[in-house]
């Protein structure tokens, strides 16, 4: 049995103490080998004596995360325990037509592409619809192959019912909500802040927070493995 981590910088382990100095400047093809072994899923895999696969990549959106989940299910089916942390819904993923690989646009990005996208194409309603579809697709696939999984999420807007929530959005929210978990109803960053764990200037909870997150989840993961 494997444990696979799917998400962005929080499960990649950006800024954790075991990453080599200067890792953020290495190429994308090399970075896959430099994920942290001190994230909460990596620590859980060690405690449960499971092989660990990190698919998380810093700065990506939920479409990219979904694509990684699909690839993993195609390869491993239910021989993997899936640890998924969905990111903020305003990130936009696309395939670069020249390099033929995933690229992501974030609100913090400084580029002409970013300015074009957020000025002309972005809307919160569209964010909700497309991201709910991504998550529903992942759930359907994982359920079909009887995979064991835990889904957490960063963006509260995903399940927000006050703004930009017509009936089709609310319908999708109700479909995915039973499959979603979090840290006492907080995302990882807010939970770490609540407990006064050290957080970097780039808003990444550091080693102690991941250790305590492991303690928070470990019994749940153990129970998942016991359930047939």
């Amino acid at each position: 049995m494997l444990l696979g981590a799917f998400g962005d910088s929080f499960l990649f382990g950006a800024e954790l103490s075991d990453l080599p100095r200067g890792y953020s400047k290495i190429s994308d093809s090399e970075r896959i080998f430099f994920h942290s072994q001190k994230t909460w899923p990596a620590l859980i895999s060690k405690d449960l004596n499971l092989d660990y696969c990190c698919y998380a990549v810093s700065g990506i959106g939920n479409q990219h995360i979904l694509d990684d989940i699909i690839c993993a299910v195609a390869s491993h089916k239910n021989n993997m325990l899936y640890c998924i942390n969905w990111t903020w819904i305003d990130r936009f993923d696309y395939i670069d037509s020249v390099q033929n690989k995933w690229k992501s646009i974030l609100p913090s990005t400084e580029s002409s592409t970013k300015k074009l996208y957020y000025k002309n194409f972005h809307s919160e309603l569209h964010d909700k619809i497309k991201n709910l579809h991504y998550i529903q697709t992942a759930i359907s696939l994982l359920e079909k192959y009887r995979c064991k999984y835990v889904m957490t999420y960063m963006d509260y807007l995903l399940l927000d019912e006050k703004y930009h929530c017509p009936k089709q959005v609310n319908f999708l929210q109700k479909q995915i909500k039973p499959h979603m978990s979090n840290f006492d109803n907080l995302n990882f960053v807010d939970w770490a802040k609540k407990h006064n764990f050290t957080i970097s200037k780039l808003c990444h909870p550091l080693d102690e927070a991941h250790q305590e997150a492991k303690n928070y989840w470990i019994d749940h993961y153990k129970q998942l493995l016991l359930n047939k």
Side-chain angles (χ1 to χ4, degrees):
M1 176 70 77
L2 307 169
L3 191 151
F6 302 83
D8 60 359
S9 57
F10 298 103
L11 295 198
F12 172 82
E15 301 188 90
L16 295 186
S17 63
D18 62 331
L19 291 182
R21 181 173 297 180
Y23 77 91
S24 61
K25 297 181 181 179
I26 64 178
S27 68
D28 290 341
S29 61
E30 293 177 309
R31 193 170 298 152
I32 190 172
F33 301 109
F34 288 94
H35 59 266
S36 174
Q37 296 293 334
K38 292 190 175 184
T39 60
W40 89 75
L43 295 171
I44 288 173
S45 70
K46 184 177 181 180
D47 274 18
L48 299 182
N49 198 29
L50 301 174
D51 291 332
Y52 182 60
C53 297
C54 181
Y55 295 83
V57 180
S58 294
I60 65 173
N62 287 328
Q63 187 176 10
H64 190 164
I65 294 172
L66 170 62
D67 190 63
D68 290 336
I69 294 168
I70 293 171
C71 290
V73 173
S75 297
H76 302 291
K77 303 295 192 297
N78 61 3
N79 192 44
M80 175 176 279
L81 176 54
Y82 297 77
C83 175
I84 302 162
N85 187 43
W86 300 103
T87 190
W88 281 276
I89 65 175
D90 58 0
R91 296 181 174 186
F92 179 74
D93 298 313
Y94 66 100
I95 300 292
D96 182 275
S97 60
V98 177
Q99 298 179 322
N100 197 34
K101 66 179 184 178
W102 282 108
K103 294 287 185 70
S104 301
I105 301 173
L106 286 65
S108 58
T109 304
E110 290 301 327
S111 70
S112 57
T113 307
K114 172 249 182 165
K115 292 177 181 177
L116 175 69
Y117 173 71
Y118 287 104
K119 180 179 180 180
N120 297 286
F121 302 109
H122 173 260
S123 76
E124 186 177 307
L125 177 59
H126 183 242
D127 284 348
K128 282 187 170 181
I129 292 171
K130 69 180 182 179
N131 282 274
L132 289 166
H133 276 297
Y134 299 154
I135 296 171
Q136 179 61 49
T137 298
I139 292 168
S140 297
L141 192 62
L142 292 163
E143 293 285 334
K144 178 178 179 179
Y145 288 98
R146 302 177 64 84
C147 301
K148 300 177 188 295
Y149 61 92
V150 178
M151 288 186 177
T152 54
Y153 59 98
M154 298 304 299
D155 199 334
Y156 302 119
L157 286 175
L158 189 65
L159 297 177
D160 168 68
E161 298 180 9
K162 186 174 181 180
Y163 299 106
H164 304 290
C165 191
K167 63 181 179 181
Q168 68 271 31
V169 168
N170 188 241
F171 181 78
L172 286 172
Q173 288 173 328
K174 289 177 180 177
Q175 304 309 303
I176 73 164
K177 192 172 183 178
H179 304 274
M180 305 292 277
S181 304
N182 242 345
F183 297 80
D184 297 329
N185 296 317
L186 298 173
N187 67 26
F188 183 40
V189 173
D190 288 341
W191 177 81
K193 289 178 179 178
K194 179 181 177 180
H195 292 281
N196 296 314
F197 299 134
T198 303
I199 297 175
S200 75
K201 291 181 179 180
L202 296 178
C203 216
H204 293 123
L206 300 180
D207 293 35
E208 183 186 12
H210 280 271
Q211 178 64 46
E212 292 305 315
K214 185 269 291 188
N215 294 337
Y216 182 93
W217 287 110
I218 188 68
D219 288 341
H220 183 71
Y221 278 76
K222 286 179 180 177
Q223 190 60 49
L224 274 180
L225 291 177
L226 289 173
N227 292 339
K228 300 297 183 182

